[in-house]
Amino acid sequence: GEAQSHTMVDQLVLQRARHGDETALRSLWVQHGPHIDAVIRRLCGDSDLAADIAQEVWMQIFRALPGYRGDAQFSTWAHRIAVNRTLNALRKIRHVHRGEVDMPQDIAAPEEDVDRTFVAESIEAAVSRLSPGARAVFVLHDVEGYTHEEIAKELGITSGGSKSQLFKARAKLRRLLAHLVDGPKPATGHAHVAPRS
């Protein structure tokens, strides 16, 4: 059926790509690029850095293609390379200055109509403000669905360490994203807003 023929096409493209066919390589990049780039951007929390690393990741994926045996789906295989390369690159520049992203304060949209892209951007911005370690654990676990054991292996930490990083990451995100959940705070002296029923 539909899925079957799609897999066949993929296999043909992959075969040609493995032999260095430009058109095939390009079509892999077009098909899988957006997902891979999003993963890299989330791990980096910085779009300029992510763009640099993405170039390196794709070079690595294309270089590794001849060794790709098809035992995992291409997207899974490419995703693993992307995560590994990105984490390695981030380790090298561990002390890179993280630009603090300012949360947009002046959102005048009515609450029911909070623009989806604003929500998505707020989340991306908040994730980018986590420390690199906490961000990597959060993205791998909550976004990419890795287990703590897998994360521990990838990051060279214990699974307990992974769990505590995740806990810290979620707590900080909850603080940073409170404005999305609670809505704008009235500008009064009261710290607490009565819950809306």
Side-chain angles (χ1 to χ4, degrees):
E2 186 58 36
Q4 192 57 45
S5 66
H6 185 66
T7 324
M8 292 298 296
V9 172
D10 249 14
Q11 289 312 316
L12 287 172
V13 170
L14 277 167
Q15 249 165 359
R16 296 210 323 268
R18 276 168 56 183
H19 295 112
D21 179 288
E22 290 278 324
T23 319
L25 288 171
R26 184 165 179 75
S27 93
L28 280 179
W29 180 74
V30 168
Q31 191 185 344
H32 299 280
H35 174 65
I36 298 280
D37 290 351
V39 170
I40 297 169
R41 201 177 53 249
R42 286 196 194 101
L43 285 170
C44 292
D46 171 307
S47 47
D48 293 337
L49 181 61
D52 291 345
I53 293 179
Q55 282 187 311
E56 217 180 290
V57 163
W58 279 102
M59 274 159 42
Q60 176 72 20
I61 287 172
F62 290 157
R63 269 205 299 271
L65 257 181
Y68 169 64
R69 293 280 164 261
D71 39 2
Q73 268 193 305
F74 175 78
S75 54
T76 312
W77 175 83
H79 178 274
R80 277 206 87 80
I81 291 180
V83 168
N84 277 317
R85 284 302 283 208
T86 305
L87 293 175
N88 281 337
L90 290 174
R91 266 186 216 111
K92 280 193 205 118
I93 46 181
R94 183 52 64 71
H95 346 272
V96 84
H97 155 76
R98 291 201 333 277
E100 291 296 305
V101 184
D102 284 331
M103 290 294 179
Q105 290 306 319
D106 53 348
I107 299 301
E111 260 164 89
E112 299 75 45
D113 186 38
V114 174
D115 185 352
R116 280 215 183 125
T117 56
F118 164 62
V119 173
E121 279 165 16
S122 294
I123 293 170
E124 292 271 330
V127 170
S128 75
R129 291 173 66 170
L130 298 171
S131 71
R135 185 168 61 232
V137 171
F138 172 78
V139 169
L140 290 175
H141 188 278
D142 284 8
V143 181
E144 302 298 319
Y146 282 53
T147 66
H148 283 295
E149 286 64 38
E150 290 170 329
I151 295 170
K153 265 216 302 280
E154 294 278 340
L155 298 181
I157 57 179
T158 63
S159 63
S162 173
K163 284 176 188 152
S164 84
Q165 287 276 37
L166 181 63
F167 182 77
K168 281 196 286 230
R170 285 176 177 167
K172 179 160 188 183
L173 286 176
R174 214 167 283 134
R175 270 203 317 281
L176 291 172
L177 296 171
H179 66 293
L180 291 183
V181 182
D182 305 334
K185 300 271 182 290
T188 66
H190 299 303
H192 294 291
V193 181
R196 288 190 291 272
S197 45

